[in-house]
Every structure is written in structure tokens, then in C-alpha cells.
Amino acid sequence: MGIEIGGGIERINGTELTYDAFAETFLAKNLPVVLTHLTDDWRARRDWVDENGCPNLQFFVTHFGKSKVHVADCDTREFTDQKRVEMSVAEFVEHWIEDSTEGKLKDASYCGKAKSNLYLKDWHFVKEYPQYIAYRTPPLFGDDWLNIYLDSYHMHEDRDTFQKYDQISCSDYRFVYMGAKGSWTPLHADVFRSYSWSANVCGRKRWLFLPPSQSHYVFDRYMKNCVYDIFEDVDDTKFPGFKKTTWLECIQEPGEIIFVPSGWYHQVYNLEDTISINHNWFNAYNLSRVWDLLWKDYKDTEESIEDIRDICDDFEAICQRNLAANTGMNFIDFFMFMSRFCLGNVVLLHTCCEESKPENASSSAMAKNLASNLSGIREIMLTMKSVDGLAVNRVYLDLKATMEDPHFLKFCRDMGRTYTMIHNDDDEEEVLYWEEVSLVTGLTDYKTEICSPEDVVDMIDRARSCLCLHECQKKIVTVRV
């Protein structure tokens, strides 16, 4: 079945794009873009690529060969995805080279001619090799709440219950992908309805994009099953709307980064032997999409086990457990995530006021960013507050204990450095300044525990009031991280 291609993706020199312009044009409007010249100085583009521009497979065997990775068999479907097998990087490379050798026998000019069925995906390379700096995240993608959070905390609060999911969904969302020509990824939208960026270290990829306004066309009439491969014979009876879809196409060249917006379904092919680096992330710009997906998945989960409600001692706990397993987080995880991020933003905003004249701090790009974050969190908390029986009262955030916790102090420091980088403040003294953060002791005067969305809204409102009255300097104590 042929598909209708309705256009391509804009290309922009990433070095000429400010963060504010990127956020306004692409994050806020949820539009894809290809960015060039952002990977030129990456170590990965030197170490991981041979003189012919192909993957330097021996380098991976020598330096990372013992790593255990999950590899997709691109020719075997398993439920809604490709079948996954676990192997070492060395074993994966051995398979790749064997296929490459067969390719050379067929074509003496081989460079990416093999058609390996295996595709290494979702390798948590940064977590596994933190001392090997293969790349640095471009500032345009730096406002990454997901990975900043996971560098200090686990996604699931109940580690005992969800430990078996930690390796898949709780480590981080920074990945390395490696695949030979012909390897591919089926149609999907990214986890959590996050944004993602994907950089080609070497090789070329073909992307097919479908905007969210047409996403219902790739589902069946019950909105339960999604098209797997847009190039196979899609059943018109099962997917009656598919023929109405119009796709955007993009050929991604070596060194280019593609920005994938929230909720855009996409299918991707490796046109050559390819290595890519991929991040998923979300922030205030797409937070509502993350919550919408979480709520939809919760209702689907609730519906799927409705028949056991009357015989369960704790039906809600089962719903939350299944939601965490299927989506990667549940309501409690999301609430704790938002609460800690809210507190971190409040701390940084007060720190800005302490270290600068109030009138200057309030107008700075960083302060505006932090204030905007708090507004986004407040909106989501108001939405959660309106949900009857929302189960977030099983855990709570102790403000005093949290602000004395080394994990939280590291979290604040990482956030401060991130926003300094985003807003192009290259002053070394300013970067070092985030070795210290100002903790807002006044927040604990009224309420010491955060137990509900109302408590988070109250914390934001009181922090705003404190800033407006310029009282923050009376309520701050500086603590060495």
C-alpha cells in the first residue's frame, strides 16, 4: 500500500538558533525540525566512526564489548513491537560482521550493504559509562526534566513492587542505537508522549512522520490497536481511516539531529549502517501531553480489570501497579516527580533573588524560565485536583527532610547548571555558583508535608507571594552541596 507524502521537515543551522527561538517555534508549537552543526565536536563522531564514515565496530568491541544490551530482531514481530533478545555488544558486533562479510561477497564496494536483522536499541550508554563523555547534550535540548530527575531519583517510589521494571524504564532515557542498513523501527509515538531528539553519529535514516491531529487514523475503530508497518498491506476493514493519512518525510544525514515533537507517530529506517544517540525528555511545554497520556492509560487500565473490582481488597493499588508497568509511571510516581521539581524550581528562583538584585533577577531569562515552569506545574496540579478520588495520598513529601537530602541538593545543583547553560551564561563563576543553592526554610513554616495537588498549588502560590513582596531574602539560608 502506498502512502501519501505531504511535505518534508525544515532544516536549520542549530548554532544560529537561540534557546528562546527554538522553544517558541518548535517546543511550544510542537513541530519537528532538523538541526545541523550541533555534533561537530562530539567525541563519538571521532571514536565511533572509521575513515570510510562507517561504524567503527572494533572500537565498540574493544571498549564496550562486555556490555549487555537489548537487540531487536527486525524481521520478527512480538505483540506490538519487534522481538527483543539480550546479548553482549561483542556478540552483536560479531553477528553484524558476519552479515557484512556476506554483503562484501556480493558487492565489492561494500559500505553498509548488509541487511542485518538485528538492531541494538535503548542502550543506556551514559549511565553505564559516565566517565566516557561521548557527547554533550546541546543546550537547545537541555531543559530535560526527565533525565535530570532520574540522575538523582528513581522513577518508582515503591521500589520493591516495581523493581523488575527498573532496568527498562527507570534508569534514564538517554540511548545509543546501532543498526545495519535495512534495520528499522515500527510505527510508534514516544514514551510518555515525550519529546525526543536523535543525532546520527554516522549513517543516514529515513523518517516518516504523522502529526497528532491524524494519529487516530492509524488506530482501529476501538482505538486499541495501532498500525505496525505503514508500508505493509494495511487492512482497510481494521484500520478504516489509514488511507486518509498524509505523512512528512525526512532523510537525516550524518551529524544531523532531528527533533521529534510530542505525540507525533513515526517510522524510521536505516538507509546505511548507522549509529545514533537518542534522548527522550519532557518539560513545561509538553507537560499537559504527558498527563493526558497518563490519565488515558489509567482509564484503559481501570476498564481492563473492572470485572475484578468487587473481589479486590485494593483495586486502586492494582490499577496503579499495572499503570506503572504499562506506561512507565503511575499517579504516585508522577505526583512525586512534580512535587520535587516544583520544590527545586522554587529553590532556584529564590536563589536567583538572593544572588542578584530583585529587579534584575525577576527579569532575567533564567528567572522567567523557572517562573514559567512553576506555572506549568500549577496547571497540571489543578487538573489533578479536579479528578475525583485521585490516589496520591499513599506517599508524601516531607519538605524539611527533602531540603536536607543530598539527593535533592544534587538535583538542585544539576538544575541550576542546566538553566545556566540553556541561557548562554558562560561565566565560569556563575557555573560554579551552583555549587551552592539557597534553600527556602520559610516554606516549611506553614506546612511540612506535601500530600496532595492542593499542597503543591499552595506551595507555588506562597512562593510567588514571597517573591512579589521581596521577602525571599529573609527566608533563605545558603547550604553547601
Side-chain angles (χ1 to χ4, degrees), residues 77-349:
R77 178 175 178 176
E78 188 169 76
F79 303 108
T80 61
D81 200 359
Q82 296 162 334
K83 181 179 180 180
R84 302 291 180 107
V85 295
E86 184 179 86
M87 62 180 66
S88 69
V89 169
E91 291 170 332
F92 170 72
V93 168
E94 181 180 3
H95 177 93
W96 190 338
I97 291 175
E98 287 177 357
D99 280 359
S100 299
T101 300
E102 293 179 5
K104 288 180 181 179
L105 293 175
K106 296 177 181 179
D107 190 337
S109 62
Y110 171 81
C111 180
K113 298 289 184 179
K115 295 183 178 180
S116 174
N117 292 328
L118 297 186
Y119 191 3
L120 188 163
K121 297 182 177 182
D122 301 334
W123 181 9
H124 295 269
F125 183 89
V126 171
K127 282 285 187 179
E128 190 169 357
Y129 298 98
Q131 302 305 315
Y132 180 93
I133 310 300
Y135 63 98
R136 295 192 182 278
T137 300
L140 297 180
F141 313 124
D143 194 5
D144 178 347
W145 294 13
L146 185 57
N147 289 300
I148 292 174
Y149 184 82
L150 291 175
D151 283 343
S152 296
Y153 295 101
H154 296 283
M155 179 59 75
H156 298 311
E157 290 300 309
D158 186 353
R159 295 295 315 289
D160 293 335
T161 301
F162 301 114
Q163 188 173 6
K164 64 181 179 179
Y165 306 116
D166 284 356
Q167 182 178 3
I168 298 174
S169 62
C170 298
S171 175
D172 71 340
Y173 288 85
R174 307 178 185 100
F175 307 113
V176 168
Y177 280 47
M178 298 175 61
K181 176 182 179 180
S183 52
W184 65 292
T185 298
L187 184 66
H188 69 286
D190 286 328
V191 60
F192 302 141
R193 292 302 179 265
S194 59
Y195 297 133
S196 69
W197 61 266
S198 179
N200 277 359
V201 176
C202 62
R204 301 167 70 240
K205 289 186 178 185
R206 182 191 185 196
W207 295 73
L208 284 305
F209 286 100
L210 189 71
S213 61
Q214 297 186 39
S215 63
H216 58 288
Y217 291 145
V218 297
F219 281 85
D220 62 16
R221 65 183 73 252
Y222 306 105
M223 294 300 291
K224 298 297 183 183
N225 299 299
C226 178
V227 170
Y228 177 76
D229 180 358
I230 63 177
F231 292 108
E232 68 181 1
D233 290 329
V234 178
D235 188 338
D236 288 342
T237 303
K238 187 174 183 180
F239 302 101
F242 183 75
K243 56 183 174 293
K244 301 178 184 178
T245 58
T246 301
W247 301 77
L248 300 182
E249 182 179 33
C250 173
I251 305 300
Q252 182 187 15
E253 301 294 335
E256 293 184 337
I257 300 179
I258 194 161
F259 166 67
V260 182
S262 292
W264 282 65
Y265 277 78
H266 50 285
Q267 189 163 315
V268 190
Y269 289 87
N270 289 328
L271 301 178
E272 300 173 351
D273 289 3
T274 303
I275 301 175
S276 64
I277 292 168
N278 311 289
H279 284 207
N280 292 96
W281 92 102
F282 55 79
N283 55 36
Y285 284 99
N286 63 338
L287 196 56
S288 62
R289 296 177 184 271
V290 177
W291 167 252
D292 288 345
L293 175 70
L294 194 61
W295 177 247
K296 173 186 175 299
D297 286 356
Y298 170 74
K299 299 305 292 184
D300 289 345
T301 297
E302 188 180 44
E303 179 184 346
S304 69
I305 59 173
E306 184 63 36
D307 57 338
I308 67 169
R309 181 188 289 270
D310 293 338
I311 61 174
C312 287
D313 293 333
D314 196 339
F315 179 78
E316 184 59 37
I318 296 175
C319 287
Q320 294 302 322
R321 184 184 65 200
N322 290 353
L323 181 61
N326 296 330
T327 305
M329 72 169 85
N330 60 25
F331 285 168
I332 296 172
D333 301 328
F334 184 72
F335 176 73
M336 293 299 288
F337 182 106
M338 289 292 95
S339 297
R340 288 186 177 122
F341 231 97
C342 177
L343 183 58
N345 275 267
V346 169
V347 166
L348 293 184
L349 197 53

Side-chain angles (χ1 to χ4, degrees), residues 60-61 63-68 87-90 128-129:
F60 281 89
V61 172
H63 294 83
F64 318 119
K66 295 181 180 179
S67 294
K68 293 294 183 180
M87 62 180 66
S88 69
V89 169
E128 190 169 357
Y129 298 98

